[in-house]
């Protein structure tokens, strides 16, 4: 009787050279891989992901983000500085209040897709 681990591997050794060549031609270079994995590591932190998820709904000030996520304003500011350094969020000042939003549609899509995927 076969086990599940036996069903998820090829039963014969084979390589499809054309498929391998097509895929290799589209892979990011080493620098691109490093940058992308660094981005995903930043997003992988639960607090930062909650902040990004909140900002995927709407622009919020630091105080509102702290309240939504359940952390201090100081901690929210620290996380937002890190997210800004990785080009995930941006902000605008309105008087003495800083309003944050996701940097662009790529980040909106990334966060939205992750949330949608786990809800399925």
């Amino acid at each position: 009787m076969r086990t599940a681990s036996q069903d998820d591997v090829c039963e014969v050794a084979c390589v499809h050279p054309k498929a391998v060549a097509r895929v290799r031609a589209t892979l990011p270079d080493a620098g691109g891989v490093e940058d992308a994995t660094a981005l995903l590591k930043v997003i992988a932190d639960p607090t930062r992901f909650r902040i990004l998820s909140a900002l995927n709904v709407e622009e919020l000030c630091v105080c509102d983000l702290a309240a939504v996520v359940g952390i201090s304003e100081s901690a929210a500011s620290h996380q937002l500085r890190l997210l800004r350094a990785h080009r995930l969020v941006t902000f605008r000042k309105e008087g003495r209040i800083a309003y944050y939003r996701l940097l662009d549609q790529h980040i909106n899509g990334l966060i939205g897709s992750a949330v949608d995927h786990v809800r399925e």
Side-chain angles (χ1 to χ4, degrees):
M1 180 173 190
R2 304 181 107 200
T3 65
S5 63
Q6 291 174 320
D7 289 338
D8 62 358
V9 297
C10 295
E11 293 181 25
V12 295
C14 66
V15 173
H16 301 88
K18 289 181 182 177
V20 170
R22 281 192 307 271
V23 172
R24 278 188 177 160
T26 65
L27 292 178
D29 62 16
V33 169
E34 288 296 320
D35 292 344
T37 55
L39 170 76
L40 293 172
K41 286 177 186 176
V42 170
I43 293 171
D45 176 82
T47 298
R48 290 191 290 269
F49 191 83
R50 282 195 285 280
I51 290 170
L52 293 168
S53 296
L55 294 175
N56 202 36
V57 176
E58 68 180 82
E59 178 182 74
L60 293 167
C61 76
V62 176
C63 302
D64 292 340
L65 276 168
V68 166
V69 176
I71 58 177
S72 70
E73 291 173 27
S74 174
S77 291
H78 172 76
Q79 296 299 336
L80 288 162
R81 276 191 299 277
L82 181 63
L83 293 170
R84 209 169 69 232
H86 282 86
R87 299 180 329 128
L88 294 166
V89 300
T90 188
F91 74 99
R92 66 179 176 85
K93 290 285 280 217
E94 192 171 295
R96 296 173 59 189
I97 300 175
Y99 289 94
Y100 279 81
R101 67 183 180 278
L102 298 181
L103 183 68
D104 59 34
Q105 294 297 8
H106 297 108
I107 305 306
N108 292 80
L110 181 62
I111 301 303
S113 292
V115 171
D116 290 345
H117 180 74
V118 298
R119 287 183 177 162
E120 289 183 353

